[in-house]
Structure formats: structure tokens, C-alpha cells
Amino acid sequence: MAREIAKAYDPQQIEGRWAEFWIKDNMFRADAHAPGPVFSIVIPPPNVTGSLHIGHMLNHTEIDILTRWHRMRGFNTLYLPGMDHAGISTQRVVVKQLADKGIDYRTLGREEFEKRVWEWKAESGGKIIAQMKQIGESCDWTREQFTLSPELSRVVREVFVRLYEEGLIYRAHYLINWCPTCLTALSDLEVTHEERQGHLWHIKYPAADGGGFVVVATTRPETMLGDTAVAVHPEDERYAQLIGKKLRLPLTNREIPVIADTMVDREFGTGAVKITPAHDPNDFEAGRRHNLPEIDVMTDDGKMNGNAGAYAGLDRFAARKKIVEDLQAQGLLEKITDHKLSVGLCERCKTVVEPRASNQWFCKMKSMAEKAMAAVERNEITMVPENRREEFFHWMRNIRDWVISRQLWWGHRIPAWHCGSCKEVTVARETPAKCSHCGSAALKQDDDVLDTWFSSALWPFSTLGWPEETPDFKTYYPTSLLITAYDILFFWVSRMIMMGIHFTGKVPFRAVYLHSLVRTASGEKMSKSKGTGLDPVALNQQYGTDAMRFCLTSMAAPGTDIVVSEDRLLGARAFANKIWNAARFLFVNLDKFEEGGAKLEDLASPEVREQAPYAFAGDVPLIDGWLFARLADTLDVVKDAFETQRFHEAVQSIYQFFWNDFCDWYIEWIKPELTSADRTRATVAWKNLFGAFEAALRLLHPVMPFLTEELWHQLPQRAGARSIALEKYPEARATWRNTAAIKEFALLQEVITAVRAIRAEMKLDPKKKLAAQFSSEDAATRDAIARNLDGVQRLALLSELQITPGKLPQAGGGLRSTSLFDVRIPYVETEIDLAVELPRLKKELERLSKDIASKERQLGDETFRSRAPEKIIKNLESTLAERRVELAKIEERLRELDGKSGAAPAA
RNA sequence: GGGCGAUUAGCUCAGUGGUUAGAGCGCUCGCCUCACACGCGAGAGGUCAAAGGUUCAAGUCCUUUAUCGCCCACCA
């Protein structure tokens, strides 16, 4: 039977089919009652703000690799998918969409707006799910979750009420970060800081009694309209007599007191500070200490309000300009100096944040933080990379109460009802009929919603059925591992740990792996708005999903950000193509195998393949023993690497095994065996090739699922075999381990490479078979070459290789030496180019001499001999002996060649 | 202001105190060899940022410095 397979791998031809195949029958559905050790992982739910970007691609690939790997190793595996409603971000997206259509979302009303967002959620969520399916994520789609679903909303209310009843959630009037564009409060974490060049305006505040004035320095003159005091340091002699006196606030007719407070830094500015309790965190605290009134001078959208008198209606920055002009006109502006300051920006829209005093809901964090730190200290949760642990502790130690209310319409409505009669608050799981304080029915639910991270913090248990003790919760909680980007350690990871411990008594995951961010070539965080983002869909189409997966993870060393480049993607695609073509090699030769009377069906059962490597004439051929030994080594590395989330190591070692060992050496070596006239020999070769290739596919499958699934189905498989994803991952068998084969084949590789080098150096006809000579003092080495003469001659393209004991003459041909052997192609028509050979040898000589000198020095050192481990000394001694042999050979060759050439070219 | 990280080949980066520091890409030379030119073979290319220290032994541990990043922080 002849098979047709395209010459080049075309991922577009096959990916869609398998993506569909995997989800069709819920192939990756988890079963809480299934046997085996558990591996569970919940997705960091992507925001429904658009589609997946390349960072998600990395994150999801890592999760999927580990999921597939564990599944193939017999774990009871759950990869739970889902999405986040992403309160402020999603609301912004929809608000903007409406604005683009000329609609102010506020005119729609809350209910209609929510309806529009749900429509958008369906669109964006649908896109995300489609992308996840497209990239082959092996999730259990029957367990998909959404943070704002009715089920999860119930969990949110449960948690809110419990925290309220425990006194951990409270409502207070406090100074918070306000975004005048998003029109909501923000937590400290949602504010990013940016250093900007600004000014320090020195303003004269005249004394109320007309005697002189105090100069205050401020970076924000517009807030002076809300000043309710000026503060000086109590021990500042310059201002001592002013304390308790009144000043007249310029541009208004208000009188404000001079107060004394140790918060003032005498060295800064003039040593006198204007106090604006409603618009500055420090001043807010000072205001509380001194019982000062708060005067909010702004509106929600950042304009000056009625309290700003003549400036009312002006934007805060326009007001700043006007105020400075007016002060100047009145001669109250002493001077303006340059001043660098860090301004707070809204994380989402980059608007300058306005500190404002307002009524908000808060969550006390300290006690939860302490328990979370203790758990991490006890290593109930491990963190990779480990240095993130310190960051975590640092943040947790300095944690402040969390503003959890947001003035948005998209989110979990706070389950609190305000009583119109007694003004008290009723907090309840279900909408209450009457006020729990006075019994009045005049209840109105709080307008605010919860910070989106509040529901995300519950994700590992809310998605598994908590507060019920469901089978899912019992089996899969705590989850095994959390994989996420390091930039949400505080937003999300820390809060999950705190909430998880608080509500379930257990950590939410056993381990956290914080992976890199994917950056642009210039090192910036990728951003769609800046046009620097890479579109994973386009890249998948261009290079193939498997290549993308390979590319991203091969660079994913923990702790460093990664940069995706065209070059790397091309390299990854080439690898996929290489695998494809290795398979093609098998297929185009199958006829020959079957012509010999063998049947493909004989290779279909895993039991048959698992017995590879098969022996011929009583022995496993060296090449097969070697390949399976290399496979075992690779599997060791892969296991170790995946267990410690060192994806790049695992992926690179798989790459090396497949390309270098399997393709470059194994396939090249066994080619003639496959068509050997000796049918028994040929059959053994075929069985071993099949066994090795099929194992290699399984080895590769978690990283490159599409390609391996496609090829695996083209190999003979037992009846009822559904998918490579459900097969067993190869296990490094004890019988595969074979250091002798590795050592022996390394010798053959060395000899073949040496002959090829000589051939290149002598510029010999690359197709012409040549006669060469081989010598070694070591009988075992000579035997090894003799045993494998056919292969060596063939790969080195030799007509014959004469094996003699001892050494070869160092002149009269192209030659390579090691301490163990010499190999030489005698001159026939061509000679060595001395202008190349002599400098090469001299350089080698120099390197060896230096190396020998340093080793001699070290071995001559008594302290070294007495302190270094025996093994190190032994190694050093034998290496030194080898180097000396090599040096002697090089010296001899140099003498010969120098003599021959008369005048050696200058080195 | 505090903290963390980085600095290794032309580029992007691995490197877990112990032989001659690796990979991919790029570069040079030679090959369309019947799986693969998305390929094959052979090469060149590195005082591991600088200085000091610990150690028998340092790219790896410590200190200082320089440069570049990132995070955190209420100095008006």
C-alpha cells in the first residue's frame, strides 16, 4: 500500500480537524470519581474584553502542556476553563463602543447598559473560546465557568455576607483614588505611577489680620480652593508665632487656621504646607487629626464644582492654569520652580487619578494576610521563580485595607440595602423584604458593584462547587498548580491565597508558577493599542499552532521575559517540518517493508512496540541500543524539567533528541538496514524504527499536539485506539539505559565527524568515496570501529577504512587526532592548505599548552590535593594525560608540516 | 526613597561551584546525497559588564561600581 503525504508540513490542512475531534466527544472531560493521582488546574480566566493575545498563548500553552503530560501519565486530570467579567475593563470597552456610535451610556440606564455588555460578553467570550479550541487546549469544556454567572454570583454573595458578618467588610468615608474618566473608585493597585516633570508653585497666603503672609509650596494649585488649613512643623521656629493664627485663603474669602503637625518636613519647600483633606491622602489624615472640614472642590468627572466659586465648571487642569494666572495678577505668586513628581494614573485609561474622600466599602486584609504568609512560609505553597516569594511577603506585610466597591454598572452588585427610614444597612444573601434594623420596607440596594478581583479571588473554589462539598471540590481542591503571569501576583494570586485559606481552610493551590511576560523586540509590554501586539491567530496561521507552542515554551526560562521574533518562529516551524518529514521517510519506505512479507498490523499494538529495541542475532544492534538510551536520558530531563516548570529545558531536550539523535544519526544510520537483503535484519530495523518513532511522537505530543495526533493516526494502531492524547507517555525503562552504547556510539560519531572535517579541509570531492586510515593504541577502540565499520564508512563516505594498532604518521595527509585515536586521509590529488592548517594547529597548540600548564599547576598544589574530592583529582589527572598525548601529536604534526613546507606561513 | 532583576558569541538567550562555557538565528565554506534547501555536512566567532573578595576550584557565592530594566512608596 502506497501512502501519499505532502512534502512540506502544512498545519492549516490538519489543525482544524483535530481541534474539532478533541472536543467532539468531550474527550478531555474530567471524572471526579476516576482513579489515579490528581492533577487539577484552573485557568487564569481571560477578560472578556476582546480576544486572546500572545501572553495568553504562552500561559495556555504551558497549562495545556502540563495537563496533557499528566493525563498521559495516568493522572486524574482536570483543566478547568472559564472567563472573567473584568468589571472596569469590559465596561470601558462597551462604553467606548457606544460612544463611537454617539451614545452616552448613562442615557441608556443601568439595565439596558448591562444588557449591552452581556451581548458583548457573548461576542468576546465566544471569540476567546474559539481561540482556545483552535489552539488545541485540552480543557473540560463541560465545566466552563464565568465569574458573573448566576452560580458564581451566589458564591460571591455568600462570601461577602460572611465577611460582613465577621466584621471584615465595612463601609466607611475615606480618601480613595478616583478616576474621573471611568467614574469609579480604584484600589491602590489599579493606579500606576509615572514620573513627570512638574512645577512647585510658591503661593503667598496673607495673614487674616493683615500682617504679612505665609508662603506655601504646592504641585497642585487648583486644590487650594479646598484648603482648610496650613500646617507647619511644631518645632519650626520660623512659624512658631503663627500657630493658631488665621490666614486668608487667596481667591476665596475663607479664613483657615495655621496648625502644627509633625508630618511637615521643614526642609521641603517653605516648610509650610497647605492642607486639603478632601484631595490628598496625607491631608486627609491630617484633617482627621485636627478636626478640619473637608471641602471637595471637584465633580465626578474632574471639573471644579460649586465649592470652587468662580472656577466652577472648569476642568481641573484649566482651573490650575487660571488660578496661577489670577494669583500672579494679584501678586500672590512668589515663584515657580521645576519639580519632578510621580503622578498616579488609572491603570485602564491612563487618566490622572484624583484622590477624593468618599463613602466606599472596604475589606480588612491584615488577618487574612498573616495566615497566607504563614502558609507560604510553611511551604504549603511553593513559588517558582523563588524570588517572587520575597515580593509576595513584602506586599503582604504592608497590606492595607482593600477598597472593594466600584461605581460601575458591570459587576457583582453589592448585596447591601440601604433603609430609607432608619438609614441603616442590611446585608443579605437574598434580596431582603424589610430592613433588619427597623423593619421598614423602604429598601434600596447599594448602587455599587464589587471590584472584579473580588470574584477572581474566589475562582479556585467557586468554580469547583464551594460552599457545597461537591465531588469536584473534594477531588480537585486544592488545585495542583497555578500558572499565571507575574504581573498579577498582588492583584490575583495573593488574594486567592488569602480568600482560599479563609473560606476553605486550605491553600487554593499547592504551587504557583509565575511565567514571563511576552515583550516586543524593543522590550515593551505588548499592547494592542500601541500596535505592538502580535496577533496569535495570524501567527498560528502563518507558522502553525504547534510551532507557536514550541517557540514560546522553548524560550520560557523562569524569571526572564521573552521576546518573540520572526527568526524564532521560523526555527520552530522548521522543527515541525522536520518531524513531518521524518514521518514521511517512514511512509515512503513502507512498501519495501511490506514487500518483504511483513505486515503493518504487526506493529499496531503497543505491546509489540513497547518491546523495542528488538535484538538481531541475539543482540540489540548498537544503534538501537544507543537511541533508546538517549530516549531514556531525554525522558529523565523532561520529567525533571516539567515537574519544576522548566519548560525551556524540557522542550529543548526533546528538540535535541528528535533532530540531532533521531534524524541526524539514527535515521541516517539505519537506512540501509531497512532494505537489507537479510529479511530478519530488515524487520528488526523496521520494528525498532517504528517503536522509536511512535515513542518520539508521544514524547512530543504535549508540546505539539496537532502534528503528533495527525502522524500518530497514520501509523498502524490497534483497533479502538482513539487519540495519542489518551495514550501512555513514554517511560524511561531500566532496560533502555545503556551507558556503554552511548559511549561507543559517541566514538563512532567522533570518527565520522573527523573524517568529514578532513574532507572539507582538503576540499575533496564531496561525493567521492575515499580510503582512510584509523589507528588507536586501545584494542577496544579498534574493535568498536571494526564492529561498526559499515556504518562508519557509509556516513563518512569512505571506500575503506584501514584499522591499525598504534599511531599514524603525522604527515602526508589530512589528519585529526585525539588522545585515543588518529584518523587520516592520505594525499592523493589534493594536499592540505598549509595557510589554513598551520594556524589552526598553532592555535590548538596554544590552547592545549595553556590548559596543560593550568592543570599541572593545580595538581601540583598541595591544598588542592588535600581538599578536593578524590573524583575531581582523578578526572583532572586523566584529562591531563590525554591533553599531553594530544599536544605531542600536534607538535609532531607541526614539525612535519613545517619541515615539508620549508617556510611556514606566518601564523 | 526602598526592593528586585539583568549585563555570557554579531543578535536573542540557556547555563544546578568541579574536564576545553552551550543553543537557536545570523555569518563563512561546501553540497538540490532518492524524508526534509523549512534541508545536509564542515567551520569561524566568547579576557562570561568592571574592580575587589571567599574557595583547593567562580560565568556560578559575597562586596563595591557602572549601565539598562521592572516593581513598590502619601514627601506637599
Side-chain angles (χ1 to χ4, degrees):
Chain A
M1 107 190 191
R3 289 167 186 245
E4 288 300 326
I5 174 166
K7 190 167 174 181
Y9 174 54
D10 181 4
Q12 296 239 57
Q13 294 291 318
I14 65 164
E15 286 187 5
R17 202 167 53 203
W18 293 118
E20 202 179 309
F21 172 78
W22 289 325
I23 51 183
K24 196 178 54 191
D25 305 325
N26 292 321
M27 189 177 280
F28 303 123
R29 181 165 194 169
D31 174 3
H33 303 290
V38 170
F39 180 79
S40 63
I41 197 159
V42 291
I43 195 173
N47 294 350
V48 287
T49 47
S51 52
L52 299 184
H53 56 70
I54 195 123
H56 291 116
M57 179 90 197
L58 171 67
N59 180 246
H60 294 203
T61 298
E62 289 179 343
I63 293 173
D64 191 55
I65 285 177
L66 289 187
T67 303
R68 286 179 183 268
W69 184 63
H70 279 94
R71 185 184 295 119
M72 289 178 81
R73 293 192 309 141
F75 281 69
N76 178 351
T77 305
L78 169 66
Y79 171 13
L80 186 143
M83 283 173 286
D84 196 315
H85 69 285
I88 188 167
S89 306
T90 309
Q91 172 153 343
R92 270 184 54 75
V93 169
V94 178
V95 165
K96 184 164 183 309
Q97 283 173 348
L98 290 168
D100 289 348
K101 286 189 238 163
I103 304 170
D104 182 339
Y105 76 100
R106 281 168 289 197
T107 62
L108 288 180
R110 185 165 190 154
E111 209 169 305
E112 177 59 22
F113 178 74
E114 279 187 80
K115 211 181 114 207
R116 302 288 180 103
V117 186
W118 276 106
E119 280 164 21
W120 162 254
K121 184 262 165 187
E123 185 186 330
S124 165
K127 213 183 282 176
I128 289 168
I129 296 297
Q131 279 181 300
M132 287 178 65
K133 288 177 175 171
Q134 188 198 331
I135 61 177
E137 300 191 36
S138 64
C139 323
D140 179 349
W141 292 105
T142 67
R143 283 174 165 82
E144 185 189 332
Q145 298 283 355
F146 181 54
T147 51
L148 200 53
S149 70
E151 295 78 24
L152 266 54
S153 297
R154 214 170 301 129
V155 179
V156 166
R157 281 198 302 277
E158 178 69 32
V159 163
F160 186 97
V161 172
R162 285 198 197 182
L163 287 171
Y164 182 79
E165 287 168 351
E166 290 165 34
L168 292 173
I169 281 182
Y170 62 96
R171 190 171 148 86
H173 181 76
Y174 206 78
L175 195 104
I176 47 83
N177 306 295
W178 181 267
C179 176
T181 302
C182 301
L183 303 177
T184 180
L186 300 173
S187 73
D188 293 338
L189 276 177
E190 288 166 299
V191 178
T192 61
H193 292 269
E194 195 176 292
E195 184 131 298
R196 286 195 184 167
Q197 192 54 250
H199 303 287
L200 208 47
W201 285 273
H202 293 66
I203 304 169
K204 295 175 184 171
Y205 281 22
D209 58 14
F213 49 79
V214 172
V215 177
V216 299
T218 180
T219 55
R220 305 194 51 207
E222 70 278 13
T223 62
M224 70 179 284
L225 303 173
D227 284 2
T228 53
V230 165
V232 297
H233 196 278
E235 285 150 32
D236 193 335
E237 289 164 13
R238 291 174 296 178
Y239 300 110
Q241 77 288 358
L242 277 172
I243 297 168
K245 296 236 168 84
K246 301 272 186 182
L247 300 172
R248 183 163 304 281
L249 184 63
L251 311 177
T252 71
N253 264 327
R254 273 193 295 118
E255 286 190 359
I256 56 172
V258 177
I259 59 169
D261 196 297
T262 48
M263 75 181 262
V264 180
D265 175 359
R266 278 170 282 183
E267 308 301 316
F268 189 91
T270 60
V273 191
K274 60 193 270 313
I275 301 293
T276 325
H279 290 283
D280 181 278
N282 280 325
D283 296 3
F284 181 82
E285 297 292 341
R288 294 224 155 158
R289 283 196 295 273
H290 297 273
N291 275 319
L292 299 171
E294 284 165 24
I295 303 177
D296 188 336
V297 295
M298 291 183 207
T299 59
D300 286 355
D301 57 357
K303 294 196 174 68
M304 307 309 287
N305 67 14
N307 292 332
Y311 304 93
L314 281 180
D315 175 80
R316 50 191 169 145
F317 298 107
R320 174 183 298 179
K321 206 168 154 233
K322 184 87 183 354
I323 284 169
V324 169
E325 282 166 12
D326 291 350
L327 287 170
Q328 194 139 35
Q330 294 179 25
L332 292 174
L333 189 64
E334 192 187 65
K335 63 175 176 180
I336 306 172
T337 54
D338 286 341
H339 182 68
K340 238 187 229 161
L341 73 161
S342 119
V343 293
L345 306 176
C346 171
E347 193 207 13
R348 296 294 159 188
C349 72
K350 309 298 172 204
T351 303
V352 175
V353 161
E354 187 61 46
R356 285 180 91 197
S358 68
N359 289 316
Q360 302 289 344
W361 292 88
F362 293 85
C363 184
K364 291 184 188 169
M365 304 308 289
K366 210 169 161 20
S367 61
M368 285 196 263
E370 276 162 7
K371 280 191 242 166
M373 282 192 282
V376 174
E377 250 157 26
R378 286 194 299 268
N379 276 320
E380 285 172 34
I381 300 176
T382 57
M383 284 195 197
V384 173
E386 215 169 301
N387 60 311
R388 299 281 168 197
R389 241 173 83 110
E390 269 316 303
E391 268 176 48
F392 167 82
F393 283 129
H394 184 256
W395 190 71
M396 294 296 257
R397 272 195 295 269
N398 297 295
I399 200 159
R400 296 163 56 172
D401 286 0
W402 175 15
V403 198
I404 52 173
S405 46
R406 295 289 179 278
Q407 288 63 50
L408 302 169
W409 284 349
W410 176 244
H412 297 97
R413 190 98 174 246
I414 290 180
W417 286 262
H418 300 274
C419 178
S421 305
C422 71
K423 310 292 173 203
E424 290 291 333
V425 168
T426 302
V427 168
R429 290 170 178 82
E430 304 297 338
T431 308
K434 52 186 175 42
C435 174
S436 60
H437 303 274
C438 71
S440 161
L443 289 179
K444 189 177 171 294
Q445 185 168 10
D446 197 294
D447 281 328
D448 294 353
V449 300
L450 287 165
D451 180 4
T452 196
W453 295 105
F454 191 87
S455 57
S456 328
L458 321 177
W459 186 252
F461 56 90
S462 65
T463 54
L464 291 172
W466 187 91
E468 263 66 65
E469 283 270 319
T470 61
D472 272 13
F473 184 76
K474 277 192 272 188
T475 303
Y476 297 118
Y477 189 89
T479 61
S480 311
L481 174 64
L482 176 81
I483 302 186
T484 191
Y486 64 73
D487 59 343
I488 50 175
L489 176 61
F490 308 137
F491 279 109
W492 193 44
V493 181
S494 306
R495 285 164 178 168
M496 277 193 286
I497 297 174
M498 290 188 280
M499 290 291 189
I501 293 173
H502 188 79
F503 284 102
T504 71
K506 291 180 195 163
V507 293
F509 25 75
R510 303 282 184 211
V512 180
Y513 171 58
L514 295 156
H515 63 70
S516 322
L517 299 182
V518 183
R519 294 186 184 276
T520 62
S522 54
E524 291 167 73
K525 214 163 149 175
M526 293 219 180
S527 148
K528 247 184 240 167
S529 52
K530 282 188 219 149
T532 52
L534 289 175
D535 178 9
V537 176
L539 291 176
N540 280 333
Q541 279 174 1
Q542 201 175 347
Y543 301 99
T545 302
D546 288 331
M548 277 283 283
R549 290 169 64 111
F550 176 84
C551 178
L552 287 168
T553 46
S554 70
M555 294 188 293
T560 42
D561 289 342
I562 65 183
V563 175
V564 176
S565 65
E566 174 97 19
D567 283 350
R568 289 297 281 240
L569 284 164
L570 285 170
R573 192 185 66 176
F575 182 49
N577 192 53
K578 187 77 182 174
I579 300 166
W580 183 260
N581 275 288
R584 214 170 140 250
F585 168 75
L586 257 74
F587 299 145
V588 299
N589 286 289
L590 272 177
D591 295 342
K592 294 170 194 163
F593 175 64
E594 293 187 313
E595 274 163 24
K599 287 202 198 93
L600 276 186
E601 291 69 49
D602 294 343
L603 299 172
S605 90
E607 290 71 32
V608 170
R609 282 197 294 247
E610 284 286 310
Q611 284 168 44
Y614 284 89
F616 169 67
D619 289 318
V620 171
L622 172 68
I623 185 70
D624 297 307
W626 169 78
L627 186 79
F628 280 88
R630 284 287 306 125
L631 178 56
D633 289 350
T634 304
L635 285 165
D636 288 345
V637 173
V638 167
K639 182 159 191 282
D640 197 52
F642 277 154
E643 273 170 355
T644 51
Q645 292 90 46
R646 302 176 65 80
F647 292 92
H648 68 299
E649 252 180 44
V651 163
Q652 283 171 15
S653 95
I654 292 172
Y655 173 91
Q656 250 184 1
F657 169 77
F658 194 86
W659 199 313
N660 300 338
D661 296 335
F662 185 76
C663 293
D664 290 346
W665 289 101
Y666 182 75
I667 287 187
E668 291 309 321
W669 187 282
I670 59 151
K671 273 176 180 174
E673 317 285 4
L674 296 172
T675 54
S676 167
D678 181 341
R679 296 313 303 173
T680 321
R681 176 69 193 97
T683 304
V684 165
W686 271 107
K687 279 165 134 177
N688 286 339
L689 172 62
F690 262 82
F693 184 70
E694 198 270 348
L697 286 183
R698 284 181 284 128
L699 169 76
L700 279 156
H701 180 260
V703 181
M704 308 179 88
F706 291 100
L707 177 58
T708 49
E709 184 80 282
E710 170 72 17
L711 295 174
W712 188 81
H713 282 273
Q714 297 204 28
L715 296 179
Q717 301 298 351
R718 69 184 187 283
R722 286 172 74 200
S723 164
I724 189 173
L726 304 176
E727 295 294 307
K728 278 208 313 222
Y729 203 70
E731 259 177 79
R733 303 167 156 241
T735 51
W736 290 356
R737 299 189 192 280
N738 192 339
T739 47
I742 290 199
K743 195 174 162 222
E744 182 166 337
F745 197 70
L747 170 71
L748 307 185
Q749 289 175 305
E750 223 180 328
V751 172
I752 292 164
T753 302
V755 174
R756 288 168 174 172
I758 298 168
R759 180 191 286 275
E761 185 185 35
M762 291 174 78
K763 300 195 192 325
L764 297 168
D765 181 347
K767 280 179 219 101
K768 192 176 171 191
K769 288 195 175 184
L770 301 162
Q773 303 161 334
F774 177 88
S775 266
S776 177
E777 314 257 16
D778 178 48
T781 300
R782 294 194 303 271
D783 288 349
I785 299 299
R787 269 201 303 278
N788 298 286
L789 196 57
D790 284 354
V792 173
Q793 288 189 170
R794 200 166 46 78
L795 292 196
L797 210 69
L798 296 174
S799 54
E800 68 162 312
L801 182 62
Q802 200 180 80
I803 303 171
T804 51
K807 286 194 287 187
L808 290 173
Q810 296 292 307
L815 180 122
R816 281 291 186 282
S817 310
T818 71
S819 57
L820 194 59
F821 67 81
D822 299 328
V823 59
R824 191 169 88 121
I825 298 178
Y827 293 148
V828 184
E829 297 125 29
T830 330
E831 293 203 359
I832 284 287
D833 181 354
L834 289 180
V836 175
E837 180 73 349
L838 289 176
R840 183 181 76 80
L841 289 172
K842 279 177 180 161
K843 200 174 149 196
E844 187 70 8
L845 181 95
E846 201 176 321
R847 197 179 56 75
L848 280 170
S849 318
K850 251 194 215 158
D851 191 46
I852 288 169
S854 112
K855 287 191 167 50
E856 280 172 342
R857 190 170 351 101
Q858 207 176 356
L859 281 168
D861 190 307
E862 267 319 303
T863 348
F864 171 73
R865 287 196 165 275
S866 60
R867 299 216 188 160
E870 183 72 9
K871 200 178 138 204
I872 297 293
I873 296 175
K874 273 249 163 71
N875 269 342
L876 199 61
E877 277 170 345
S878 69
T879 315
L880 177 59
E882 284 169 22
R883 295 281 177 281
R884 282 177 172 150
V885 175
E886 286 167 37
L887 183 73
K889 287 180 177 179
I890 299 256
E891 279 172 340
E892 189 185 337
R893 183 158 167 81
L894 265 174
R895 269 198 308 276
E896 292 281 353
L897 292 177
D898 261 340
K900 190 167 186 295
S901 65

